[in-house]
Amino acid sequence: MQKLYLPQLAVIDQIVDETADTKTFTMHFDNPHYNAEFRYLSGQFVEASVLGVGEAPFGFCSNPNRTGTFAVTVRAIGRVTRAMHAMHPGDLLGIRAPLGNHFPLQEVQGYDILFVAGGIGLPPLRSLIEPMLDMREKFGRFTILYGARTPADRVYKTRLEEWAQRKDLTLLQTVDVPDETWNGPVGVVTTLFERTHIDPAATVAFTCGPPVMIRFVIQDLLAMGFPEDHIISTLERYMKCGVGKCGHCAIGHKYICVDGPVFSWRQIKKLPER
Amino acid sequence: MQKRSIRRAQINVLLEKLLSLHQVIYAPQKLGNQVDFAPLRDLQDLTLDHIQTVRSAKAALFPPVEELLRYQRAGVETELQDRDLTNLAEQVLFGTRPCDAAAIAPLSAVFTTDDQDAIFARRLERTTVISVSCERSDGDCFCTSVGVGPGDSRGSDLLLTRLQDDEYLAEILTAKGEALLQLAPELFGPEPAESKEAHLAKVQKRFDWEALHDKLAGAFDHPFWLRTALACLGCGACAYVCPVCSCFDIQDEGSQKKGRRLRSWDSCGLALFTLHASGHNPRSIQSQRWRQRMMHKFSYMPDQLQQLGCVGCGRCSRACPADMNLIEQVENFLFA
């Protein structure tokens, strides 16, 4: 019988401050055998527990090709996330994973790839960007558009620097509110579309970010002529059980936790609530 | 299926026998001025002349609060312990109405489709259901509108129907029912000459659930929800008494050193149900939550699990402090 609700203990290896309220936790499973066998796919998520405080869902942000450890990026905003932020390397989390479906990876080979991320929407996309870059030659033009409230609110600043240096991808960033360090574009992420060359028929777009951003991104992509199944996003609900039982993430007759969180616009537009 | 007869006094003897075998029997009893399911200790407390218990029988299969796991920390050692299912007692649900027994199928569909919830599955495996057909109904009952009936045998292992005075028809429906018969064959008489139909409550069909299902499919933005939800207090009582509602919350109880993880009944009618830590709430107003409740039961569940999320017991109507009557709501919706 499967143990649906029982987490595995994971040891925190490293905690990196990303922004004033966001940290990335890299960890491995305490049980060496379990850790060696553990695999996940880009787009899947974990239910992370601080025992005695509770459990909350987070998308993987790490590269699934790098086995042995995995990571999630967490903004301190509720009880569980604040408790996580108070933890240190060596501390234990309970982890139930991998949960949910995943981004298409093999299926989109041969296409141009466009990522549109907002704020803390970049972490789940990073878990797809990195395995794609591992086989960069399988894809056409590779574009990442990233928007944040301020320059300091951008996550993975070092990684963004590395991506910016690469000749085989285009990274454009924008902020809502610039500071003295910023000499890039200012405005919402959709204003970056006119600065890039996109061939909608040959491109698959992945977008993740605040609900209002996703709404406008999809609107613009559709206006550019993207086919509905070439727009891939994730739906967010407070998933409690993560295994399709508790009802919290039900949207219509779908459960975000088992049927999602990854959906194409063709699927999303059929859902009654989104 | 076998049909036998049994007398009222012999039913008590059967229950005594089960009690002596240390089985827990959940049965309708007078608790204060209402009738509800509770573990039976004394047969004198048993009542069968009520129309409907206030709460459904689902708590016997899906308790309001139950443990999922335990955790304990000592120094650097942390121990997580899955729910121990070995000591779940054999139990008998006695006196369930056919609607409550019919609710076991949709509950099972939720808990055992795809990944199986071991706690629910094990408890169901160890439960024997002895239902008693309805001789009477009230204005809130609408089982026949949702494909259930006052003498419906689905979900029951043994179904008793009173024919006259103290004589009951006993329909033995499953292997567990057969085991009850074998436990005390001397208590059962031969099949009665009379059939049960004439002795069942007459429950008028009030609406056509298929018409409701079909109309809901295109009614997400119907003004009906906003208008009718004005009465809803968002208290969740309807879900609490419902035999089918199965949404649950997960919370830890204890300290970071030692404690338990629990699941407890939750309801899509409550404002906190979908609230994110960020403050974003995908269902921020009551009409969205009221719509979710109706859609889930009569549209989404039939589409997803091939099960209606309602058995017509009428408890939501009886429990609603704002008098939102389910039959009335459906009738109004179908005409809206």
Side-chain angles (χ1 to χ4, degrees), chain A residues 98-243:
Chain A
L99 301 170
N101 72 350
H102 56 85
F103 287 118
L105 180 57
Q106 308 305 329
E107 298 86 332
V108 300
Q109 288 187 17
Y111 284 97
D112 290 355
I113 302 294
L114 170 66
F115 287 97
V116 187
I120 201 166
L122 185 58
L125 294 180
R126 181 181 148 181
S127 88
L128 179 61
I129 292 171
E130 296 198 335
M132 281 183 163
L133 292 177
D134 286 348
M135 49 176 190
R136 176 67 189 85
E137 71 286 355
K138 305 275 195 201
F139 306 97
R141 257 197 306 268
F142 204 96
T143 308
I144 302 170
L145 308 181
Y146 185 36
R149 276 175 300 170
T150 71
D153 283 314
R154 294 170 306 138
V155 296
Y156 313 140
K157 295 181 190 73
T158 313
R159 190 57 51 102
L160 290 169
E161 282 301 312
E162 290 167 24
W163 289 345
Q165 301 303 317
R166 287 181 73 131
K167 298 280 181 280
D168 59 355
L169 67 81
T170 304
L171 170 68
L172 294 178
Q173 303 181 67
T174 182
V175 296
D176 296 339
V177 184
D179 60 17
E180 62 284 358
T181 68
W182 190 254
N183 44 27
V186 174
V188 295
V189 74
T190 48
T191 60
L192 296 175
F193 284 138
E194 62 195 33
R195 295 168 182 264
T196 54
H197 178 80
I198 297 166
D199 175 3
T203 306
V204 177
F206 296 88
T207 183
C208 200
V212 63
M213 183 211 89
I214 291 182
R215 187 146 53 89
F216 283 102
V217 167
I218 289 175
Q219 199 175 297
D220 284 9
L221 294 174
L222 290 171
M224 278 182 236
F226 269 78
E228 288 172 348
D229 52 1
H230 284 197
I231 302 172
I232 315 288
S233 188
T234 60
L235 290 176
E236 309 285 332
R237 282 293 188 278
Y238 191 168
M239 300 172 279
K240 290 262 171 147
C241 75
V243 289

Side-chain angles (χ1 to χ4, degrees), chain A residues 5 49 52 240 245 248 273, chain B residues 113 115 117 249 252 261 283:
Chain A
Y5 308 107
S49 309
K240 290 262 171 147
K245 309 294 179 207
H248 282 260
E273 300 175 296
Chain B
T113 301
D115 291 321
D117 184 290
D249 191 19
D252 286 3
R261 178 158 293 167
R283 290 188 206 118

Side-chain angles (χ1 to χ4, degrees), chain B residues 30-263:
Chain B
K30 284 212 173 62
L31 301 165
N33 58 2
Q34 63 188 42
V35 177
D36 239 328
F37 285 97
L40 187 66
R41 290 180 219 294
D42 187 336
L43 280 168
Q44 297 207 337
D45 299 335
L46 180 67
T47 174
L48 286 178
D49 57 6
H50 63 293
I51 289 176
Q52 190 66 279
T53 52
V54 175
R55 288 176 296 171
S56 78
K58 83 175 167 196
L61 294 170
F62 171 47
V65 178
E66 77 180 323
E67 182 182 308
L68 295 178
L69 58 95
R70 284 164 189 258
Y71 60 88
Q72 188 163 6
R73 272 183 198 178
V76 293
E77 293 301 312
T78 296
E79 198 191 342
L80 280 167
Q81 200 187 340
D82 203 25
R83 171 68 186 273
D84 180 9
L85 297 175
T86 53
N87 55 6
L88 276 185
E90 293 278 342
Q91 60 179 12
V92 174
L93 252 174
F94 180 83
T96 42
R97 294 303 183 198
C99 52
D100 272 1
I104 295 173
L107 276 179
S108 297
V110 170
F111 282 111
T112 61
T113 301
D114 299 331
D115 291 321
Q116 189 169 76
D117 184 290
I119 307 173
F120 180 89
R122 184 66 67 86
R123 198 178 262 115
L124 182 59
E125 192 183 290
R126 296 189 180 184
T127 303
T128 300
V129 181
I130 306 176
S131 301
V132 180
S133 299
C134 298
E135 297 173 68
R136 294 185 297 139
S137 63
D138 66 15
D140 293 324
C141 289
F142 62 98
C143 57
T144 50
S145 307
V146 289
V148 183
D152 209 308
S153 63
R154 282 172 294 170
S156 300
D157 297 300
L158 177 65
L159 176 62
L160 301 172
T161 307
R162 194 160 79 119
L163 300 177
Q164 42 224 322
D165 299 331
D166 68 342
E167 195 201 12
Y168 285 76
L169 164 70
E171 293 174 79
I172 293 138
L173 300 153
T174 64
K176 285 178 187 167
E178 180 65 28
L180 285 171
L181 174 65
Q182 294 310 323
L183 185 67
E186 70 283 2
L187 300 177
F188 293 83
E191 178 178 349
E194 233 182 321
S195 82
K196 67 183 174 185
E197 271 61 35
H199 300 277
L200 298 173
K202 304 285 175 284
V203 184
Q204 196 199 335
K205 189 170 170 183
R206 304 293 295 272
F207 61 85
D208 176 13
W209 77 261
E210 281 168 324
L212 173 61
H213 169 267
D214 294 349
K215 183 164 180 177
L216 284 171
F220 192 78
D221 295 314
H222 200 289
F224 174 83
W225 307 117
L226 202 54
R227 196 168 66 234
T228 50
L230 291 174
C232 180
L233 306 176
C235 70
C238 48
Y240 197 77
V241 297
C242 177
V244 181
C245 274
S246 59
C247 288
F248 59 86
D249 191 19
I250 299 177
Q251 295 285 340
D252 286 3
E253 177 189 77
S255 68
Q256 294 203 29
K257 294 242 181 273
K258 184 180 181 183
R260 310 189 292 165
R261 178 158 293 167
L262 306 171
R263 72 164 155 210

